[in-house]
């Protein structure tokens, strides 16, 4: 198994994405690429405990990501 | 679907671009490339709640971008 | 021996992963690649002494890693 | 249209260049390359509201740029 | 002589590894690669004067390293 | 004209080199390469208004440079 | 002349190496490579005015270097 296989298994499932700088996102993983760029639907942004819903598809840039978990 | 397909679908639509360092932009997505460099028209810059309109086409450098959403 | 051989030897064993910015993870190493992207199962996140368990497989991005030890 | 086409259209026109770290430049865009390295003539540097004129051609390194607009 | 030759000469000897952010490691150098990724055995981590021993082999990521000395 | 042509024109002339982190150098540009690594002779370093002369040839690493101007 | 030629001329001579983050080294330049990784002998580390001698050969990682001068 390679690390990106975990993203393949998480497709169309809800994930938590922790970013550099203390921001995080929760949403359904709709797409990814080898740079760990992600597309989330039904996403929520969490900054300092405050939750902001995001409508539509959100593209998260891979190089700001620290980890991705279910 | 790949992450950049989301940008293709967002062409000529209004997007929110969140940057590293707490800055964000709203504008119509007129162009993009594989580095996530973006061109926005009718753009507004938001820093600490203060909104500054930008006339003409704004080129936003991809490596400062955290996420892009509608 | 090359550095990545240590990861090969640590497969399916518990590791400590120290991240830039003071965060760390403990978990079972299930996969890795040449960028040091890791997959941990049964992972715990430790930030400032506070431990948060993570269910399922966690993908940790290699470029935020400082060191990996048993 | 690709993002660098905007720079082509801005050649020999006045642009605003916002840098990482709060610095910005205004000047006439005389040259650019694919790394977004720029050459500005008749440039002014703005740091914290203070404006410093720069005589001659200024080479601005692309990887410190956040955005470029007219 | 090339810089990596110094690592070849330090193999199986005790080294001090100073990291970005004020952390350092002491340990026996068991392996390295061209990215300066290192494997240390019998390692100790030093942060702010506090020493923490690490059992087993520690993989230190090269891009966080400032210098390596005997 | 390409951005590096400006460096070609500045060879053997006095330049100001502004660095990330608030440091700057003044000196005669004796050499450059495509990474914007520079060699300055008769250089002065300026940090927080304090000027330190540097004898001999100073090699300035390109990736710390913000801009170069006459 | 190219910037790395300056390092060739400085081989076996004493150099000052200024690092990102306010640290600096003085030592005899024994080796370098195209990434500006350096080997210093008889090196001293200077942090905040405090000088620490380093015995043996010190390998300094190029990407933390700001400038090198005699």
């Amino acid at each position: 198994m390679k690390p990106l296989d975990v993203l393949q298994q998480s497709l169309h499932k809800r994930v938590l994405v922790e970013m550099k700088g203390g921001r995080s996102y929760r949403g359904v993983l709709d797409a990814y690429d080898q740079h760990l760029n992600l597309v989330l639907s039904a996403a929520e942004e969490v900054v300092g405990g405050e939750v902001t819903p995001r409508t539509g598809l959100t593209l998260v840039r891979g190089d700001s990501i620290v980890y991705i978990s279910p």
Side-chain angles (χ1 to χ4, degrees), chain A:
Chain A
M1 186 177 73
K2 282 290 165 192
L4 292 195
D5 298 343
V6 168
L7 293 181
Q8 187 61 33
Q9 294 171 15
S10 297
L11 268 181
H12 312 306
K13 295 186 186 146
R14 211 159 171 76
V15 294
L16 168 67
V17 182
E18 185 79 32
M19 310 291 286
K20 293 176 189 165
R23 209 189 293 255
S24 63
Y25 298 96
R26 288 194 164 280
V28 175
L29 181 66
D30 280 1
Y32 68 92
D33 63 20
Q34 80 277 17
H35 306 295
L36 297 193
N37 294 321
L38 305 179
V39 175
L40 302 179
S41 60
E44 293 171 330
E45 183 186 17
V46 185
V47 186
E50 203 176 320
V51 180
T52 312
R54 294 267 158 234
T55 59
L57 298 175
T58 296
L59 170 54
V60 177
R61 195 175 154 93
D63 76 352
S64 290
I65 292 175
V66 177
Y67 73 79
I68 305 160
S69 76

